[in-house]
Amino acid sequence: MIVRLLSILALVTSIMHARPVFPEDMVETAVSNMHHTIKNTNSLRSLIRNNSVIEGSDTENTTVDNTNFARIKTATRDLPVVGYVPLDKIPITNSIIHGETTAEKYFRRALQLQATEPQIAANLLEKVLSQEPNNTKARLLLGRLLTMSRDASKAVLVLKPLLLQENYNWQPWFWAGTALLQIRELSGAARLLDQALARNRSVPAIWVQRAIVEQENGSAESALQLLHAASKISPHNTSVLLNMAISTNKVDHLSHLSEGYYKKYVKMKLRCMHQC
């Protein structure tokens, strides 16, 4: 039997010192691997019912091993947790997009390429801004792509003009705050994310990123207060569940709750994968 989950965790551990590693990189890969071991709906339902990690390569030989949650928890607890939000799932809202521009064809092409060829899309957006510096929609999308590619310093420079405007949209503040979080400018990240919350308190991702600032500041209990607010909005949100697991694991009198949150996180990820 091939235990792919353990091999993935071992590989990530072996390269921790070679490059920055983020918990979502490892856990997402591990959960994806679990999904590929499932051959039919019944085995998936069994997994979810037992809140357990699957090992094995086929249905007949699949076994359940709850101890793998402890391994995931051990492997992730000391890694940086910056930016565990599925940033590619946050759309550019229609309220930011208005009117046609002379560079519209570049922008439309960038929209088409943003998921598959983000660097090409970013290059196209830079062309748009060279012709139309005040093109808000292009500036916002470029800032988003730069943040997602972890080119944080450049992202902040691109987004700065939007922060100087009377802007009631939360997204420029969110992306700029996330970029500052990536480079550990924590006070600036907190300030910008607070501005995003002031504009929209119903987006779980903002609460999660603000909580991650507190995690990075070593204040897990403050992070949990913010995550509880996110949980009220979206109780099954995987970003919320994973960060709840990470934060509770860092608070002695709450650490016993950590494994439960990890299990809920994996369960929701597997459900999503199956339904997709």
Side-chain angles (χ1 to χ4, degrees):
M1 182 185 300
I2 302 174
V3 187
R4 295 186 179 180
L5 174 62
L6 296 179
S7 65
I8 291 171
L9 294 180
L11 176 61
V12 172
T13 301
S14 69
I15 62 175
M16 280 178 61
H17 300 294
R19 64 176 179 84
V21 180
F22 297 88
E24 69 270 24
D25 299 334
M26 180 180 62
V27 178
E28 292 280 353
T29 303
V31 172
S32 178
N33 174 71
M34 293 176 215
H35 176 62
H36 290 304
T37 69
I38 299 169
K39 297 299 183 181
N40 58 42
T41 304
N42 289 335
S43 63
L44 176 67
R45 288 174 179 167
S46 175
L47 169 67
I48 291 172
R49 187 165 53 251
N50 290 302
N51 289 332
S52 303
V53 176
I54 278 187
E55 293 181 346
S57 57
D58 56 65
T59 303
E60 294 181 1
N61 296 323
T62 294
T63 61
V64 173
D65 182 3
N66 280 320
T67 62
N68 279 322
F69 283 102
R71 295 189 180 100
I72 293 175
K73 188 162 60 175
T74 299
T76 60
R77 65 177 298 172
D78 295 324
L79 295 179
V81 293
V82 172
Y84 184 68
V85 169
L87 300 179
D88 60 318
K89 304 300 183 185
I90 301 174
I92 299 296
T93 59
N94 289 333
S95 60
I96 216 71
I97 298 176
H98 54 84
E100 295 286 322
T101 72
T102 58
E104 188 64 27
K105 63 180 180 179
Y106 295 114
F107 181 75
R108 289 174 187 249
R109 185 60 177 155
L111 284 177
Q112 294 170 348
L113 294 175
Q114 60 177 313
T116 57
E117 297 288 348
Q119 185 58 59
I120 295 176
N123 292 340
L124 289 168
L125 292 167
E126 287 179 350
K127 289 183 178 180
V128 174
L129 292 178
S130 69
Q131 298 177 30
E132 299 181 354
N134 296 325
N135 190 315
T136 302
K137 56 185 179 179
R139 186 170 294 280
L140 178 58
L141 182 54
L142 179 57
R144 169 188 172 178
L145 291 176
L146 291 170
T147 304
M148 290 170 61
S149 65
R150 300 191 185 278
D151 192 350
S153 297
K154 188 173 181 180
V156 173
L157 289 175
V158 167
L159 292 166
K160 186 176 180 180
L162 299 181
L163 307 181
L164 300 176
Q165 300 173 3
E166 187 176 353
N167 194 334
Y168 296 101
N169 189 287
W170 60 272
Q171 293 196 54
W173 304 91
F174 172 81
W175 293 112
T178 297
L180 289 181
L181 177 56
Q182 290 175 351
I183 56 177
R184 293 189 58 80
E185 292 285 348
L186 300 181
S187 61
R191 185 175 64 256
L192 293 179
L193 291 169
D194 285 343
Q195 288 292 326
L197 283 172
R199 288 160 172 77
N200 192 330
R201 301 178 69 83
S202 65
V203 180
I206 309 175
W207 291 100
V208 173
Q209 292 294 67
R210 185 62 181 84
I212 292 170
V213 174
E214 296 304 315
Q215 289 176 348
E216 290 293 289
N217 273 324
S219 183
E221 292 187 346
S222 296
L224 285 171
Q225 292 178 6
L226 293 157
L227 291 168
H228 280 302
S231 182
K232 289 180 181 179
I233 300 167
S234 182
H236 303 300
N237 185 295
T238 54
S239 302
V240 175
L241 291 172
L242 180 55
N243 282 286
M244 289 286 277
I246 292 170
S247 292
T248 53
N249 200 36
K250 295 179 182 292
V251 180
D252 290 341
H253 68 279
L254 297 175
S255 59
H256 64 285
L257 301 174
S258 181
E259 184 171 331
Y261 282 117
Y262 273 113
K263 288 182 177 182
K264 289 179 183 178
Y265 163 75
V266 173
K267 180 168 63 176
M268 294 309 301
K269 289 297 293 185
L270 288 171
R271 279 181 175 171
C272 178
M273 290 176 180
H274 178 69
Q275 291 169 358
C276 296

